[in-house]
Amino acid sequence: MSLARLNIANFRNILSASLQPESGLNLIYGENGSGKTSILEAIYFLGMGRSFRSHLSQRVINIEQDNLTLFAQLEMQTGEAKLGLRRFRNGEIDVKLDGDKVKRLSVLAETLPIQVITPESFSLLFEGPKARRQFIDWGAFHSDASFYQAWVNTRRILKQRNQLLRDGSSYSTIQFWDKELVRYAEQVTSIRNQYVDSLNELLKGIIGEFLPRVDIKVSFTRGWDSKTDFAELLETQYHRDLSSGNTGSGPHKADLRLRVGNLPVQDALSRGQLKLLVCALRIAQGKLLQEQQNKHSIYLVDDLPSELDAQHRQLLLKQLTETGAQIFVTAIDPVAIVDSLASPPSKMFHVEHGQVTVVE
């Protein structure tokens, strides 16, 4: 999987750009505010239907325009594919794959799997379990075709159950929904657990390369006591849930626990080590996708030199290039990246005031 062509129109300060990246490492450099990160953001938007920098998708549309347009020609195992997306300021979105209208945004993620490593990637470790659940669910979605619908059903039932709790409904009324919730929750949890087990096998080796003297334990917590039957728990916690108006335990509380000894990694590692750990998680996830589905992720790496010394930059770039995946790396100074590579970048782009040029 790789991008053979990328067209961007009205995306932040990029009014019009057309790139023909290579399948290897593509280096994008320019001053802060030039638009280099916007290229990564546009690729992510095309693969996810949203931004990794803002929850408000309207903000990525150029301030003077009514809509943005993204188009990519993809090189896939099955041949070429064409993916296009148009996002309007009123919230409407139009997506086409090989000319056919796409109704579910999950098709984007399935078609264009993306791994992002940015300075904000620390949210995976610092901002509570939501980001870590999303990390697990990205892998579960790609590893098991039944996961997506099971998780959609779980969230639908949780929403209905929480509304009944807020309405003060009796448990006999809620029990009907609990039976369905238990069924889908167990399916979701089983897929998540299997995925994390598979990920751990790859992760150990990569963490060993990045942090050889640190013993990091990674485990999955399902969102309720592993020794307690979920159906029984929902019944015994009914009065507590009724008071809060929300379901207190379940797959929506699942987490990925990372520890050094008895300490969370956030308390045991330096910022540089934490960044390497996040990189290891993303690389392992991409490698597992390749093993399980014979499909490469596309790696988007923003501001790679920050907080990493030359030795660790070199190690990270080596690990990334060894995946065989297409990589987009941004930097203010290209020398910091070029000097860390065993061979020159496959292609280099310079960005200035939203204008993108190829550097020979």
Side-chain angles (χ1 to χ4, degrees), residues 29 95 104 259:
Y29 71 95
V95 181
R104 293 186 295 108
R259 305 182 78 86

Side-chain angles (χ1 to χ4, degrees), residues 270-334:
S270 68
R271 282 185 65 84
Q273 289 175 317
L274 288 170
K275 187 160 191 174
L276 287 170
L277 176 57
V278 170
C279 294
L281 286 165
R282 294 296 183 188
I283 291 171
Q285 196 165 61
K287 284 188 172 182
L288 186 56
L289 178 67
Q290 170 65 12
E291 283 190 6
Q292 292 181 335
Q293 304 294 331
N294 194 28
K295 184 188 292 184
H296 279 300
S297 298
I298 292 175
Y299 286 89
L300 309 178
V301 187
D302 192 28
D303 195 19
L304 184 144
S306 69
E307 299 182 63
L308 291 181
D309 58 27
Q311 178 185 352
H312 286 121
R313 280 200 302 272
Q314 186 176 12
L315 179 60
L316 175 56
L317 287 167
K318 177 177 178 289
Q319 285 278 353
L320 283 168
T321 53
E322 285 179 353
T323 64
Q326 187 177 40
I327 306 160
F328 294 85
V329 177
T330 70
I332 295 173
D333 181 5

Side-chain angles (χ1 to χ4, degrees), residues 19 26 31 54 59 64-65 110 118 141 173 179 188 212 219 245 306 324 338 357:
L19 293 77
N26 298 272
E31 296 297 323
S54 173
R59 289 186 177 177
E64 297 179 355
Q65 305 297 323
E110 187 176 352
T118 73
F141 169 82
T173 302
K179 290 178 181 178
V188 164
S219 59
S306 69
V338 174
T357 56

Side-chain angles (χ1 to χ4, degrees), residues 74-145:
L74 310 177
E75 296 290 344
M76 307 174 71
Q77 292 282 1
T78 54
E80 287 188 356
K82 294 178 180 179
L83 180 63
L85 179 151
R86 179 168 290 165
R87 180 69 155 79
F88 297 88
R89 197 170 291 282
N90 64 5
E92 292 182 9
I93 189 167
D94 183 24
V95 181
K96 290 185 178 180
L97 179 60
D98 286 334
D100 296 327
K101 192 164 185 176
V102 172
K103 296 180 180 179
R104 293 186 295 108
L105 289 182
S106 60
V107 173
L108 292 176
E110 187 176 352
T111 305
L112 196 62
I114 291 172
Q115 294 289 343
V116 183
I117 300 172
T118 73
E120 292 75 34
S121 293
F122 283 113
S123 64
L124 186 63
L125 303 177
F126 282 104
E127 290 188 3
K130 182 178 179 181
R132 292 186 290 277
R133 267 197 307 277
Q134 290 174 340
F135 173 83
I136 297 169
D137 289 349
W138 186 98
F141 169 82
H142 284 286
S143 66
D144 192 313

Side-chain angles (χ1 to χ4, degrees), residues 72-271:
Q73 183 177 317
L74 310 177
E75 296 290 344
M76 307 174 71
Q77 292 282 1
T78 54
E80 287 188 356
K82 294 178 180 179
L83 180 63
L85 179 151
R86 179 168 290 165
R87 180 69 155 79
F88 297 88
R89 197 170 291 282
N90 64 5
E92 292 182 9
I93 189 167
D94 183 24
V95 181
K96 290 185 178 180
L97 179 60
D98 286 334
D100 296 327
K101 192 164 185 176
V102 172
K103 296 180 180 179
R104 293 186 295 108
L105 289 182
S106 60
V107 173
L108 292 176
E110 187 176 352
T111 305
L112 196 62
I114 291 172
Q115 294 289 343
V116 183
I117 300 172
T118 73
E120 292 75 34
S121 293
F122 283 113
S123 64
L124 186 63
L125 303 177
F126 282 104
E127 290 188 3
K130 182 178 179 181
R132 292 186 290 277
R133 267 197 307 277
Q134 290 174 340
F135 173 83
I136 297 169
D137 289 349
W138 186 98
F141 169 82
H142 284 286
S143 66
D144 192 313
S146 67
F147 176 80
Y148 175 76
Q149 193 57 53
W151 185 224
V152 166
N153 290 337
T154 301
R155 288 186 297 179
R156 175 181 55 82
I157 295 168
L158 278 168
K159 184 178 180 180
Q160 179 64 39
R161 187 181 196 271
N162 289 340
Q163 185 59 56
L164 289 170
L165 289 168
R166 288 190 284 272
D167 291 343
S169 300
S170 66
Y171 186 70
S172 60
T173 302
I174 290 176
Q175 193 172 30
F176 168 80
W177 295 98
D178 282 0
K179 290 178 181 178
E180 290 296 290
L181 178 58
V182 169
R183 179 162 71 98
Y184 289 117
E186 289 178 348
Q187 184 180 356
V188 164
T189 298
S190 175
I191 297 170
R192 283 172 169 171
N193 196 41
Q194 289 175 23
Y195 178 74
V196 173
D197 283 347
S198 299
L199 186 71
N200 251 328
E201 294 303 311
L202 275 173
L203 194 55
K204 289 175 186 176
I206 299 171
I207 289 178
E209 287 280 332
F210 283 165
L211 302 166
R213 291 178 292 278
V214 182
D215 185 19
I216 298 173
K217 303 294 184 186
V218 181
S219 59
F220 170 69
T221 58
R222 63 184 187 173
W224 70 93
D225 184 359
S226 60
K227 298 178 182 178
T228 306
D229 179 78
F230 189 36
E232 291 179 10
L233 184 67
L234 288 170
E235 185 172 0
T236 58
Q237 290 187 352
Y238 161 69
H239 291 291
R240 191 186 73 178
D241 291 349
L242 192 66
S243 298
S244 66
N246 282 288
T247 305
S249 300
H252 57 300
K253 300 291 185 179
D255 199 357
L256 189 69
R257 184 173 294 171
L258 301 100
R259 305 182 78 86
V260 177
N262 294 322
L263 289 175
V265 291
Q266 302 93 313
D267 299 332
L269 303 180
S270 68
R271 282 185 65 84

